[in-house]
Amino acid sequence: MPTPPAAPIADRIRALLAGLVSFDTVSDRSNLPLIAYIEDYLAAFGIPGQRIVDETGQKASLWVTIGPHDKPGIVLSGHTDVVPVEGQAWTHNPFEMVERDGKLYGRGTTDMKGFVATCLAMVPEMQRASLAVPIHLAISYDEEIGCVGVRPMLDMLSRAPVKPLGCFVGEPTSMELAIGHKGKHGVRATFKGFACHSSIAPHGVNAVEHAATLIAEISRRAARMASEGARDMLYDIPHTTLLTSIVHGGTALNIVPDSCTIEFEARGLGISESKAVTDAIVGFARDTIEPAMQKANPACGIEFEEILEYPALDMPADDTWVTLAKKLSGRNRHCKVAFGTEAGLFVSMAGIPAVVIGPGSIEQAHKADEYVELSELLKCADFVERVIAHCAQPIS
Ligand SMILES: [Zn+2]
């Protein structure tokens, strides 16, 4: 188990992060051993956690309350899953934390076990502060595959008698305050054509070519959004983006292909814009491409399925939660980040205001030799310290 609470904060964070990294919690694996590790740690302080187990029984979120249970509190939120390491050139075992030159290396150190370790390391301080406003830890799973695992917990919170005041999602922003991120909607389209020998091509229905018509339309719409779509200059790419990322089709040069699958996604500025954009593309395919396929052969057509979706985060800059976040983080400015997080879901599913602020850089996430600087985790500990001080003040 981690070092005792009397140890310096850096040592406690190191020990906890080494513990968290040692669990291989790639999204397709169980996170229950890691959850049990956190539960054991909290149990040493007499703090119980509430598990929300998924339908497979192999994964769980953990909801923890420190302080009063009947008052609205502040949520510190992080996911426990990590992206795969296969095919990456790691110079050491990714699931064994290594420290070198002030950097802590290992899968998930920056995205985002470093944040979770820091919050856990501050639990003794939270307990000592006799909090008037509770602090909650919201620890989730399956974030990396489309922010899936946090949803049952948010469903629970949306029905809870006392709703939290707001949430800090600790994804890596180098402790900058992010008040927005784009949403995402991904769709798979399967074109069912009619095969025949290529020497009599006009008798077939070419699934690849019909898919190509849709790909060209997606590309046209993407260009239109870039040139005349809505803009938000707080983003590096200030407009909604759209692209086809996967195409599979055809079996031989001399066969008219009867099947083609494409996958496309939109990343939109507005809360539900991504889905509106992909819905319009599906509508275009239904109205123009599918009738042409069915005219040639009524058995042909296109099937669509949703791959993933999460809403954008779009907090007003003058929201009281943003103002508090600025006060606690000691920053006057705010930004918006290109990557998706669970923050948009806290707002849209549970009505809990949320911002993103966490240690480390997204530049190091998802890569070989992922690392987080210890100094970033210490900055995060300072932030949590100020959250604790805020929550320890008597409610006026
Ligand atoms: Zn993450």
Side-chain angles (χ1 to χ4, degrees):
M1 279 316 290
T3 44
I9 186 66
D11 292 346
R12 285 187 268 152
I13 293 172
R14 261 193 205 99
L16 279 158
L17 184 53
L20 295 177
V21 167
S22 72
F23 295 96
D24 174 355
T25 49
V26 172
S27 307
D28 62 357
R29 280 149 228 180
S30 172
N31 74 335
L32 295 184
L34 178 144
I35 292 293
Y37 171 85
I38 296 175
E39 285 171 334
D40 283 352
Y41 170 77
L42 293 171
F45 302 100
I47 299 168
Q50 183 182 353
R51 273 193 194 199
I52 300 113
V53 183
D54 80 345
E55 64 281 0
T56 69
Q58 293 305 306
K59 291 176 188 173
S61 300
L62 197 65
W63 175 252
V64 180
T65 300
I66 299 145
H69 283 244
D70 57 348
K71 301 217 162 50
I74 289 183
V75 184
L76 302 172
S77 165
H79 62 81
T80 57
D81 58 319
V82 296
V83 294
V85 297
E86 277 76 32
Q88 297 187 333
W90 282 78
T91 57
H92 61 90
N93 177 357
F95 300 105
E96 197 174 303
M97 196 184 82
V98 172
E99 183 168 4
R100 220 181 307 130
D101 303 327
K103 292 172 180 158
L104 304 169
Y105 290 85
R107 173 51 89 225
T109 46
T110 193
D111 184 14
M112 57 183 292
K113 289 177 172 177
F115 175 77
V116 175
T118 305
C119 293
L120 291 173
M122 293 298 286
V123 162
E125 279 78 359
M126 294 175 195
Q127 230 185 2
R128 268 203 304 273
S130 59
L131 302 172
V133 173
I135 294 176
H136 304 283
L137 306 179
I139 295 167
S140 71
Y141 59 93
D142 280 0
E143 189 273 349
E144 297 289 2
I145 55 170
C147 300
V148 180
V150 76
R151 296 176 200 227
M153 182 158 57
L154 292 175
D155 197 39
M156 176 190 88
L157 290 179
S158 71
R159 288 180 279 108
V162 184
K163 200 177 279 186
L165 297 166
C167 174
F168 298 118
V169 175
E171 291 277 358
T173 63
S174 305
M175 295 309 290
E176 293 281 342
L177 177 63
I179 64 167
H181 64 70
K182 290 181 183 177
K184 175 169 167 174
H185 194 237
V187 177
R188 181 178 300 120
T190 303
F191 290 73
K192 188 178 177 305
F194 184 72
C196 67
H197 194 280
S198 60
S199 63
I200 51 166
H203 294 180
V205 177
N206 190 324
V208 167
E209 291 186 359
H210 284 292
T213 304
L214 188 58
I215 293 170
E217 178 65 17
I218 289 168
S219 178
R220 249 192 312 273
R221 288 177 187 233
R224 205 159 59 225
M225 268 167 214
S227 62
E228 57 200 59
R231 281 185 141 53
D232 183 339
M233 298 316 283
L234 281 177
Y235 285 107
D236 287 344
I237 296 180
H239 51 81
T240 293
T241 58
L242 175 64
L243 81 157
T244 306
S245 7
I246 292 180
V247 184
H248 291 301
T251 52
L253 180 61
N254 60 359
I255 300 173
V256 172
D258 65 353
S259 174
C260 184
T261 302
I262 69 168
E263 295 186 10
F264 57 95
E265 65 154 48
R267 289 179 183 253
L269 301 177
I271 287 168
S272 55
E273 188 176 325
S274 308
K275 187 167 184 326
V277 168
T278 52
D279 280 353
I281 290 163
V282 171
F284 170 85
R286 290 250 184 263
D287 293 345
T288 61
I289 302 174
E290 197 167 47
M293 295 173 79
Q294 289 174 340
K295 194 169 163 209
N297 185 326
C300 296
I302 315 169
E303 272 174 31
F304 294 94
E305 56 187 306
E306 182 177 85
I307 305 168
L308 64 84
E309 69 80 31
Y310 55 77
L313 174 71
D314 196 13
M315 290 290 292
D318 59 356
D319 189 278
T320 51
W321 187 247
V322 173
T323 306
L324 178 67
K326 284 182 177 170
K327 186 179 150 208
L328 297 178
S329 63
R331 289 182 184 279
N332 272 322
R333 60 173 192 264
H334 54 258
C335 63
K336 295 190 177 182
V337 288
F339 55 93
T341 81
E342 293 168 339
L345 284 166
F346 270 88
V347 179
S348 66
M349 274 188 74
I352 299 169
V355 293
V356 188
I357 178 165
S361 165
I362 198 71
E363 287 288 311
Q364 273 86 50
H366 298 199
K367 285 184 180 166
D369 290 347
E370 174 179 350
Y371 69 84
V372 67
E373 297 195 16
L374 181 61
S375 60
E376 280 286 306
L377 300 181
L378 294 174
K379 271 190 233 166
C380 181
D382 286 346
F383 172 70
V384 175
E385 182 92 64
R386 288 192 289 272
V387 172
I388 295 169
H390 175 80
C391 291
Q393 287 162 12
I395 301 171
S396 52

